[in-house]
Amino acid sequence: ARARPQCGSSRSHSNDAAATADVVLRLGAEERREIAGRLRAYIGEAREAAHARFDEAQQRAREAEEQARREFVSEHVDRGVTEEVAQGWWWESAYHHHQQYVDWSLRNVWIAPLRVVGAGTLGGTAAVADWLLRRDFAEWGETMPIEPLLRVVAARPAEWQADLATRLAARLRGTRAQLDNGAAGLALELLRRTGAEPPAHEPLVVAWASMEPRLATDPLAPHLIPRLFEAEGVGRALRDDRADAPAGRSWLRALATASPVGHEQLVAGCLSRFLRGGTAADLRFFVRLHDLLDPAPGQEQVRDYLRLLPAAPGPVAELALRMLRGPGVTLSGEEVGEAVTALLFRPESKLVRAGLTLLDRAARDTAGDLDDLAPALASAFLCESYEVRERAVRWAVKHARRLSAVGAETVREAAAVLPPDLAAHLTPGYGAVETEAAPDDAFEPGELPVFDAPGRHPVRPAMETLTGTFNRLDHEFAFDRWLDGFVRHPHARRSPGGVTDLRLVGEWLQLEQWTEALLRAAAGEAVALTAEGRLPGPGQVAPLHFALLRRCAEVHAALVEGALPPYLLATPTCTSGHLDPAELVARLEGYEREGVRALPDDLGQALLRLPRAVDPGVVARAGRLTSEAGVTLARWLADRPEPFTSVEWPAKPGERPRPLVRHEPTGIAFVDALFCESPSRRWVSYYQSAWWLVLPSDREVLAMHLVPYLYGDWRGPGSLQPEISRLCHQEGPAGEGMALLLGILLGEEGWAAERCREPLLRAVATGSLPAVECGSQLGRCLRLLDRVRPTVVVRALDECARRGAHREVWQIMSGLLPVYLPGPGERATTAHTRTLEFAAEVAGWAGARGVIPEVADLAARTGSSGLVRAARRLHGQLAQEDADSSR
């Protein structure tokens, strides 16, 4: 009874555990045995007591919140606000958020005292270890009361304490939870106090490395420092460690300045860790440690550093190369050849260039013949980079006299893999080189994928039963069918019931709110009188979403005024989103017979849904209509408006392009709101996926309205892939907007990359790709948007070309190069060179003709940089083809 912890009390957990430790230390042997026998049965009682106190505290908090809510509402009602509005203000305010908070950890106050009791009364070390790490203790995340536990454990025999320390250490699993709840800290502290040798357990080393280093005073340091280089997970735990971290927190500085283990052993440990392998992130700490130790290179370690060059992560390979090139290190010709061969096949251009530099240095430092370097030269000839092969040829020409007949023959045989233009440079020094003949048609394009166009089927009739408000999760046509059903079938209009009070909402931004308002108005509810002013301003929401809201507001106003037509004009007849022109004429003929006036926005939407090709007979029928709506239709069919669209790019990098849509006003407000406005990113509902139904015949205008949504979403442009794919099957010209949408998707990386290449192939298959303009827009993306990387774009275009779109990819490149290539005074990068090299490949695949002035200007520059050579290669192909065609 004296040891029973005060579970659920208001005291802190540490106080409960400390008080429990005081009681346990005063117990006699018989009392300890008695409590140990009853301890497990007491867990349920202790937990229930703590939970009951927590529930009581939570109930008091709820009552306090309810009292605060009543006072809040009463105060605002006294000021003239309705009770419903005051209730809404309460739930929208921050006041109530602070009322319910009750420290959740109060449910767990029973755990820490029970851990102390078990550690002080249970007999065997295995039983105590099991008790401290019980699952029902650990799952609550309660922190170990380390100091009280150390006090009660210290009363046990020394051997018992050491055994417990070893058992707890061996039970660690390297999880973040065991670090946070103190299990690792307790095990490490027991090992320190008992002097027990730490078990060979990797999670123990990771836990030790995850804490602040105290190497000068930590008795575990001599044991665990060597294991830092062996235990998996240490590099991950220390990958963000820095030598300039605050005092006492840097493992790098601690190992370099206060380690009881010598620097040579630390360097050897780093080297052994590199040889074990791992990712760049896992080895980052050891690379920094090696650099901080700054070891003097030793000849005996040359073989180990050489072994790192072929496949180690880039930072490790760079470190190894620095050591091999350091003072005091002498490499044999065979070792130089091994190093150069390894470096030339690295993916990093920096290391490839370093391999060639190493080859030059070896030739300079070697007194005799260079036969030992001939195999390395052969490896350079096999490199994919034209620049590397060209440098290797220059090296071979320069040092031809220093090779024996055997070495020269090795070089001549290896040169067979070179392009003929490079191999020809070797003839004076090595004799004629027979190059491997390239196949007549090395490039074999694949079959262009066949894409199924969305079906063109009749739209199902309007809903005769309205089961509730419009549901945005329904099919894309659900909104039009719901609205048409509401107008056509008065008997289907039923009050939605429910508890929504639209009076508490300002503007009605959701389609669901408007369809609910329509049902309530049809049922005669007072909400019909409050719809005025509920339509948001045009600048508050996306224009295409505003168009949908306008149609709802228009139907609502007609219902209230008793001027609702018998049916709507704009309901599509085809699943392509189009409205059959003959059907629209028939609908207007019915209006004229019955003297019905068309709703303006309904008519505007109907006009936008007409296909671009209309039968002349239908046009003649429309010309015989006499109503204002009929005259508008006839004028539309005779001269359909075609807005001007463009993408305006900023001068500064990082800023987003601005889509522009301009047209002379048509006098049709619904149309002008979409054709005469510059789209921008504004509030939008989840109905965005059905925007295409508003503009099925004007895909370029729709593309302009999608451009602002390429940015500002964590998912990136790839989130618009379904909408962009559908543009390929819609009607209307394709311009800069669609070109930008298709182009920017090629810069997407990761899991979305594959599906983001599909729209370009679909555009090629459907004949809707503005290829040259797509390249121009893509070139601006590469110049001005950090998100779009050249290597990713080239990879995507290469794949599209190999899948059968090689001619269109060349057209894209012909538009991209003039925009993307560096002009006079601009700095060229390896990305520019690679892009030109790829363009030369595609030009050959497509049989391209015609000179590109910007490429010709680069080719005319002096010098032999990779960029200039690539430009000369491409210009030569285009000029040759052009000359052939002129003949």
PDB file of all heavy atoms in Angstrom, residues 769-793:
ATOM      1  N   LEU A 769      -1.014  18.874 -82.435  1.00  0.00           N
ATOM      2  CA  LEU A 769       0.191  19.398 -81.790  1.00  0.00           C
ATOM      3  C   LEU A 769       0.730  20.601 -82.560  1.00  0.00           C
ATOM      4  O   LEU A 769       1.164  20.458 -83.704  1.00  0.00           O
ATOM      5  CB  LEU A 769       1.267  18.308 -81.732  1.00  0.00           C
ATOM      6  CG  LEU A 769       2.650  18.767 -81.235  1.00  0.00           C
ATOM      7  CD1 LEU A 769       2.581  19.175 -79.764  1.00  0.00           C
ATOM      8  CD2 LEU A 769       3.698  17.678 -81.444  1.00  0.00           C
ATOM      9  N   PRO A 770       0.746  21.781 -81.946  1.00  0.00           N
ATOM     10  CA  PRO A 770       1.455  22.923 -82.543  1.00  0.00           C
ATOM     11  C   PRO A 770       2.942  22.785 -82.231  1.00  0.00           C
ATOM     12  O   PRO A 770       3.468  23.404 -81.308  1.00  0.00           O
ATOM     13  CB  PRO A 770       0.814  24.131 -81.847  1.00  0.00           C
ATOM     14  CG  PRO A 770       0.347  23.618 -80.519  1.00  0.00           C
ATOM     15  CD  PRO A 770       0.057  22.153 -80.697  1.00  0.00           C
ATOM     16  N   ALA A 771       3.650  21.960 -82.980  1.00  0.00           N
ATOM     17  CA  ALA A 771       4.969  21.464 -82.582  1.00  0.00           C
ATOM     18  C   ALA A 771       6.002  22.575 -82.419  1.00  0.00           C
ATOM     19  O   ALA A 771       6.694  22.650 -81.404  1.00  0.00           O
ATOM     20  CB  ALA A 771       5.458  20.422 -83.591  1.00  0.00           C
ATOM     21  N   VAL A 772       6.152  23.439 -83.444  1.00  0.00           N
ATOM     22  CA  VAL A 772       7.178  24.482 -83.359  1.00  0.00           C
ATOM     23  C   VAL A 772       6.862  25.426 -82.208  1.00  0.00           C
ATOM     24  O   VAL A 772       7.760  25.815 -81.445  1.00  0.00           O
ATOM     25  CB  VAL A 772       7.264  25.250 -84.691  1.00  0.00           C
ATOM     26  CG1 VAL A 772       8.259  26.399 -84.580  1.00  0.00           C
ATOM     27  CG2 VAL A 772       7.667  24.304 -85.824  1.00  0.00           C
ATOM     28  N   GLU A 773       5.601  25.786 -82.056  1.00  0.00           N
ATOM     29  CA  GLU A 773       5.222  26.673 -80.947  1.00  0.00           C
ATOM     30  C   GLU A 773       5.419  25.980 -79.603  1.00  0.00           C
ATOM     31  O   GLU A 773       5.803  26.614 -78.615  1.00  0.00           O
ATOM     32  CB  GLU A 773       3.765  27.109 -81.096  1.00  0.00           C
ATOM     33  CG  GLU A 773       3.299  28.110 -80.062  1.00  0.00           C
ATOM     34  CD  GLU A 773       4.151  29.365 -80.047  1.00  0.00           C
ATOM     35  OE1 GLU A 773       4.431  29.920 -81.133  1.00  0.00           O
ATOM     36  OE2 GLU A 773       4.566  29.778 -78.946  1.00  0.00           O
ATOM     37  N   CYS A 774       5.182  24.665 -79.563  1.00  0.00           N
ATOM     38  CA  CYS A 774       5.423  23.906 -78.333  1.00  0.00           C
ATOM     39  C   CYS A 774       6.898  23.993 -77.952  1.00  0.00           C
ATOM     40  O   CYS A 774       7.247  24.182 -76.779  1.00  0.00           O
ATOM     41  CB  CYS A 774       5.002  22.449 -78.531  1.00  0.00           C
ATOM     42  SG  CYS A 774       5.232  21.408 -77.079  1.00  0.00           S
ATOM     43  N   GLY A 775       7.790  23.879 -78.935  1.00  0.00           N
ATOM     44  CA  GLY A 775       9.220  24.015 -78.658  1.00  0.00           C
ATOM     45  C   GLY A 775       9.580  25.397 -78.168  1.00  0.00           C
ATOM     46  O   GLY A 775      10.395  25.556 -77.253  1.00  0.00           O
ATOM     47  N   SER A 776       8.966  26.412 -78.770  1.00  0.00           N
ATOM     48  CA  SER A 776       9.242  27.790 -78.350  1.00  0.00           C
ATOM     49  C   SER A 776       8.826  28.020 -76.899  1.00  0.00           C
ATOM     50  O   SER A 776       9.572  28.602 -76.104  1.00  0.00           O
ATOM     51  CB  SER A 776       8.508  28.757 -79.277  1.00  0.00           C
ATOM     52  OG  SER A 776       8.715  30.092 -78.879  1.00  0.00           O
ATOM     53  N   GLN A 777       7.627  27.542 -76.537  1.00  0.00           N
ATOM     54  CA  GLN A 777       7.167  27.695 -75.153  1.00  0.00           C
ATOM     55  C   GLN A 777       8.035  26.871 -74.198  1.00  0.00           C
ATOM     56  O   GLN A 777       8.354  27.316 -73.092  1.00  0.00           O
ATOM     57  CB  GLN A 777       5.700  27.258 -75.034  1.00  0.00           C
ATOM     58  CG  GLN A 777       4.725  28.118 -75.811  1.00  0.00           C
ATOM     59  CD  GLN A 777       4.677  29.545 -75.306  1.00  0.00           C
ATOM     60  OE1 GLN A 777       4.845  29.808 -74.117  1.00  0.00           O
ATOM     61  NE2 GLN A 777       4.471  30.483 -76.227  1.00  0.00           N
ATOM     62  N   LEU A 778       8.439  25.701 -74.631  1.00  0.00           N
ATOM     63  CA  LEU A 778       9.280  24.855 -73.786  1.00  0.00           C
ATOM     64  C   LEU A 778      10.651  25.493 -73.584  1.00  0.00           C
ATOM     65  O   LEU A 778      11.242  25.417 -72.496  1.00  0.00           O
ATOM     66  CB  LEU A 778       9.412  23.471 -74.425  1.00  0.00           C
ATOM     67  CG  LEU A 778      10.131  22.389 -73.619  1.00  0.00           C
ATOM     68  CD1 LEU A 778       9.546  22.257 -72.228  1.00  0.00           C
ATOM     69  CD2 LEU A 778      10.053  21.060 -74.356  1.00  0.00           C
ATOM     70  N   GLY A 779      11.172  26.141 -74.622  1.00  0.00           N
ATOM     71  CA  GLY A 779      12.441  26.841 -74.477  1.00  0.00           C
ATOM     72  C   GLY A 779      12.358  27.951 -73.439  1.00  0.00           C
ATOM     73  O   GLY A 779      13.295  28.162 -72.654  1.00  0.00           O
ATOM     74  N   ARG A 780      11.235  28.669 -73.407  1.00  0.00           N
ATOM     75  CA  ARG A 780      11.062  29.717 -72.393  1.00  0.00           C
ATOM     76  C   ARG A 780      10.943  29.112 -71.004  1.00  0.00           C
ATOM     77  O   ARG A 780      11.419  29.688 -70.023  1.00  0.00           O
ATOM     78  CB  ARG A 780       9.839  30.563 -72.732  1.00  0.00           C
ATOM     79  CG  ARG A 780      10.027  31.401 -74.000  1.00  0.00           C
ATOM     80  CD  ARG A 780       8.821  32.294 -74.279  1.00  0.00           C
ATOM     81  NE  ARG A 780       9.084  33.160 -75.421  1.00  0.00           N
ATOM     82  CZ  ARG A 780       8.812  32.849 -76.676  1.00  0.00           C
ATOM     83  NH1 ARG A 780       8.273  31.656 -76.954  1.00  0.00           N
ATOM     84  NH2 ARG A 780       9.082  33.685 -77.653  1.00  0.00           N
ATOM     85  N   CYS A 781      10.283  27.959 -70.907  1.00  0.00           N
ATOM     86  CA  CYS A 781      10.214  27.268 -69.608  1.00  0.00           C
ATOM     87  C   CYS A 781      11.621  26.929 -69.110  1.00  0.00           C
ATOM     88  O   CYS A 781      11.940  27.106 -67.930  1.00  0.00           O
ATOM     89  CB  CYS A 781       9.385  25.986 -69.731  1.00  0.00           C
ATOM     90  SG  CYS A 781       7.625  26.249 -69.980  1.00  0.00           S
ATOM     91  N   LEU A 782      12.461  26.424 -70.016  1.00  0.00           N
ATOM     92  CA  LEU A 782      13.828  26.052 -69.624  1.00  0.00           C
ATOM     93  C   LEU A 782      14.632  27.273 -69.200  1.00  0.00           C
ATOM     94  O   LEU A 782      15.475  27.196 -68.304  1.00  0.00           O
ATOM     95  CB  LEU A 782      14.520  25.351 -70.788  1.00  0.00           C
ATOM     96  CG  LEU A 782      13.988  23.962 -71.155  1.00  0.00           C
ATOM     97  CD1 LEU A 782      14.626  23.474 -72.444  1.00  0.00           C
ATOM     98  CD2 LEU A 782      14.241  22.973 -70.034  1.00  0.00           C
ATOM     99  N   ARG A 783      14.367  28.389 -69.833  1.00  0.00           N
ATOM    100  CA  ARG A 783      15.120  29.602 -69.503  1.00  0.00           C
ATOM    101  C   ARG A 783      14.652  30.233 -68.189  1.00  0.00           C
ATOM    102  O   ARG A 783      15.475  30.739 -67.417  1.00  0.00           O
ATOM    103  CB  ARG A 783      14.944  30.633 -70.623  1.00  0.00           C
ATOM    104  CG  ARG A 783      16.036  30.610 -71.667  1.00  0.00           C
ATOM    105  CD  ARG A 783      15.882  31.786 -72.614  1.00  0.00           C
ATOM    106  NE  ARG A 783      17.027  31.871 -73.523  1.00  0.00           N
ATOM    107  CZ  ARG A 783      18.100  32.570 -73.279  1.00  0.00           C
ATOM    108  NH1 ARG A 783      18.205  33.254 -72.155  1.00  0.00           N
ATOM    109  NH2 ARG A 783      19.104  32.604 -74.148  1.00  0.00           N
ATOM    110  N   LEU A 784      13.351  30.223 -67.935  1.00  0.00           N
ATOM    111  CA  LEU A 784      12.797  31.080 -66.894  1.00  0.00           C
ATOM    112  C   LEU A 784      12.225  30.349 -65.687  1.00  0.00           C
ATOM    113  O   LEU A 784      11.956  30.976 -64.667  1.00  0.00           O
ATOM    114  CB  LEU A 784      11.702  31.979 -67.501  1.00  0.00           C
ATOM    115  CG  LEU A 784      12.185  32.912 -68.621  1.00  0.00           C
ATOM    116  CD1 LEU A 784      11.003  33.589 -69.300  1.00  0.00           C
ATOM    117  CD2 LEU A 784      13.150  33.949 -68.071  1.00  0.00           C
ATOM    118  N   LEU A 785      11.989  29.040 -65.798  1.00  0.00           N
ATOM    119  CA  LEU A 785      11.371  28.312 -64.693  1.00  0.00           C
ATOM    120  C   LEU A 785      12.353  27.290 -64.126  1.00  0.00           C
ATOM    121  O   LEU A 785      12.809  26.393 -64.848  1.00  0.00           O
ATOM    122  CB  LEU A 785      10.094  27.599 -65.160  1.00  0.00           C
ATOM    123  CG  LEU A 785       8.989  28.493 -65.719  1.00  0.00           C
ATOM    124  CD1 LEU A 785       7.792  27.646 -66.147  1.00  0.00           C
ATOM    125  CD2 LEU A 785       8.545  29.524 -64.685  1.00  0.00           C
ATOM    126  N   ASP A 786      12.682  27.423 -62.859  1.00  0.00           N
ATOM    127  CA  ASP A 786      13.625  26.481 -62.233  1.00  0.00           C
ATOM    128  C   ASP A 786      13.079  25.072 -62.197  1.00  0.00           C
ATOM    129  O   ASP A 786      13.837  24.100 -62.175  1.00  0.00           O
ATOM    130  CB  ASP A 786      13.929  26.944 -60.792  1.00  0.00           C
ATOM    131  CG  ASP A 786      14.731  28.230 -60.769  1.00  0.00           C
ATOM    132  OD1 ASP A 786      15.396  28.522 -61.782  1.00  0.00           O
ATOM    133  OD2 ASP A 786      14.678  28.947 -59.754  1.00  0.00           O
ATOM    134  N   ARG A 787      11.754  24.942 -62.184  1.00  0.00           N
ATOM    135  CA  ARG A 787      11.140  23.620 -62.035  1.00  0.00           C
ATOM    136  C   ARG A 787      11.429  22.717 -63.233  1.00  0.00           C
ATOM    137  O   ARG A 787      11.469  21.496 -63.110  1.00  0.00           O
ATOM    138  CB  ARG A 787       9.628  23.788 -61.860  1.00  0.00           C
ATOM    139  CG  ARG A 787       8.893  22.477 -61.660  1.00  0.00           C
ATOM    140  CD  ARG A 787       7.394  22.670 -61.656  1.00  0.00           C
ATOM    141  NE  ARG A 787       6.731  21.400 -61.408  1.00  0.00           N
ATOM    142  CZ  ARG A 787       6.330  20.992 -60.229  1.00  0.00           C
ATOM    143  NH1 ARG A 787       6.498  21.766 -59.186  1.00  0.00           N
ATOM    144  NH2 ARG A 787       5.738  19.820 -60.077  1.00  0.00           N
ATOM    145  N   VAL A 788      11.620  23.329 -64.411  1.00  0.00           N
ATOM    146  CA  VAL A 788      11.798  22.546 -65.636  1.00  0.00           C
ATOM    147  C   VAL A 788      13.290  22.393 -65.904  1.00  0.00           C
ATOM    148  O   VAL A 788      13.990  23.378 -66.150  1.00  0.00           O
ATOM    149  CB  VAL A 788      11.094  23.232 -66.820  1.00  0.00           C
ATOM    150  CG1 VAL A 788      11.204  22.375 -68.069  1.00  0.00           C
ATOM    151  CG2 VAL A 788       9.630  23.494 -66.482  1.00  0.00           C
ATOM    152  N   ARG A 789      13.776  21.138 -65.872  1.00  0.00           N
ATOM    153  CA  ARG A 789      15.212  20.879 -66.026  1.00  0.00           C
ATOM    154  C   ARG A 789      15.505  20.312 -67.414  1.00  0.00           C
ATOM    155  O   ARG A 789      14.795  19.428 -67.895  1.00  0.00           O
ATOM    156  CB  ARG A 789      15.691  19.911 -64.950  1.00  0.00           C
ATOM    157  CG  ARG A 789      15.521  20.454 -63.532  1.00  0.00           C
ATOM    158  CD  ARG A 789      16.348  19.680 -62.543  1.00  0.00           C
ATOM    159  NE  ARG A 789      15.986  18.270 -62.514  1.00  0.00           N
ATOM    160  CZ  ARG A 789      16.868  17.277 -62.460  1.00  0.00           C
ATOM    161  NH1 ARG A 789      18.152  17.543 -62.440  1.00  0.00           N
ATOM    162  NH2 ARG A 789      16.471  16.020 -62.405  1.00  0.00           N
ATOM    163  N   PRO A 790      16.565  20.806 -68.059  1.00  0.00           N
ATOM    164  CA  PRO A 790      16.876  20.362 -69.423  1.00  0.00           C
ATOM    165  C   PRO A 790      17.079  18.859 -69.543  1.00  0.00           C
ATOM    166  O   PRO A 790      16.621  18.242 -70.514  1.00  0.00           O
ATOM    167  CB  PRO A 790      18.165  21.125 -69.757  1.00  0.00           C
ATOM    168  CG  PRO A 790      18.160  22.306 -68.852  1.00  0.00           C
ATOM    169  CD  PRO A 790      17.483  21.867 -67.596  1.00  0.00           C
ATOM    170  N   THR A 791      17.785  18.248 -68.591  1.00  0.00           N
ATOM    171  CA  THR A 791      18.042  16.804 -68.697  1.00  0.00           C
ATOM    172  C   THR A 791      16.748  16.006 -68.702  1.00  0.00           C
ATOM    173  O   THR A 791      16.623  15.011 -69.422  1.00  0.00           O
ATOM    174  CB  THR A 791      18.927  16.339 -67.528  1.00  0.00           C
ATOM    175  OG1 THR A 791      18.326  16.755 -66.280  1.00  0.00           O
ATOM    176  CG2 THR A 791      20.313  16.941 -67.624  1.00  0.00           C
ATOM    177  N   VAL A 792      15.780  16.443 -67.916  1.00  0.00           N
ATOM    178  CA  VAL A 792      14.490  15.745 -67.857  1.00  0.00           C
ATOM    179  C   VAL A 792      13.736  15.912 -69.169  1.00  0.00           C
ATOM    180  O   VAL A 792      13.149  14.969 -69.708  1.00  0.00           O
ATOM    181  CB  VAL A 792      13.658  16.271 -66.671  1.00  0.00           C
ATOM    182  CG1 VAL A 792      12.292  15.602 -66.642  1.00  0.00           C
ATOM    183  CG2 VAL A 792      14.399  16.033 -65.358  1.00  0.00           C
ATOM    184  N   VAL A 793      13.747  17.131 -69.713  1.00  0.00           N
ATOM    185  CA  VAL A 793      13.040  17.408 -70.965  1.00  0.00           C
ATOM    186  C   VAL A 793      13.646  16.605 -72.108  1.00  0.00           C
ATOM    187  O   VAL A 793      12.929  15.998 -72.923  1.00  0.00           O
ATOM    188  CB  VAL A 793      13.082  18.920 -71.265  1.00  0.00           C
ATOM    189  CG1 VAL A 793      12.589  19.195 -72.680  1.00  0.00           C
ATOM    190  CG2 VAL A 793      12.248  19.686 -70.255  1.00  0.00           C
TER     191      VAL A 793
END
